[in-house]
Amino acid sequence: MSGIVPERKVRHILGISGGKDSAALAVYMRDRVPDIEYFFCDTGEELTETYDFIDRLEARLGIKVQRLAATQGFKHFLEKYNDFLPSPQSRWCTVQMKIKPLEEFIGDDEAISYVAIRADEDRSGYVATKDTIKVVFPFKDAGITKPDVERILEESGIGMPKYYSWRSRSGCYFCFFQRKIEWVRLAENHPGLFEKAKSFEKVLPDGRRYTWSQDESLDELIARKDQIIAEHEKRVKLQKQRKPNKTLAEVLEGVLDGEDQEEGCVVCHV
Ligand code: SF4
């Protein structure tokens, strides 16, 4: 026996979230690094549009996106957390249903993780918890911004995810990062999923409230949907006047981004 220990292969991984930036990064990287492993952390609570978009990406690019699932479903974890719904302050959903399956997938292997944060973003958050994972930001390094991403998707024939006509972020249908108008649109586009999201809320007789929004339950929110729609449409109109050359999807995204200060999650919304 020679005693020479074979060098361990460094893995190249790229997480697809179902959003436009990670999809564009898959297009961008496909011919730059040949043996990338693409993965999608599937919470089992995603929109059908997200699954369709990933199928489209696979078909167009001729790649395989591995679906990584958590050991248990959302309901199991909700019980474990005593009915406390996840929130921007307590993102147990991301840890249990996205980060843990990913770390399991990588194991102790050395890996380079390609993350789709753009040059025009200043986002931070989870990128890796192990020293064996090196994180790189090809879009940041190449100065690639939002219009470039849209162009990359357009030119590749993949286009934007379908949910962009009513929602600006990828992720679970019940994601607490949603704005009020996006909850209203969820109720319109996927009434069954809206009801399912409602079923996870609890308002107890002793005053304890476990709701997706801090200030109101989904029943309370939908009861004032006309007001939410009217306020949103006012902002869309204003935005259109200010930026007449933007497409409706761009206007919508601009309005939604202006409605809250949360940047979204760098694991789920890229
Ligand atoms: S998309 Fe939202 S709800 Fe789903 S795991 Fe990510 S942060 Fe949690």
Side-chain angles (χ1 to χ4, degrees), residues 181-199:
I181 186 68
E182 292 176 314
W183 280 112
V184 172
R185 299 300 186 215
L186 175 70
E188 290 170 355
N189 286 281
H190 295 286
L193 293 181
F194 184 81
E195 288 304 313
K196 207 170 158 201
K198 254 172 60 176
S199 74

Side-chain angles (χ1 to χ4, degrees), residues 93-94 171-172 174-177 268-269:
C93 49
T94 318
C172 307
F174 52 49
C175 186
F176 45 82
F177 280 113
C268 308
H269 307 128

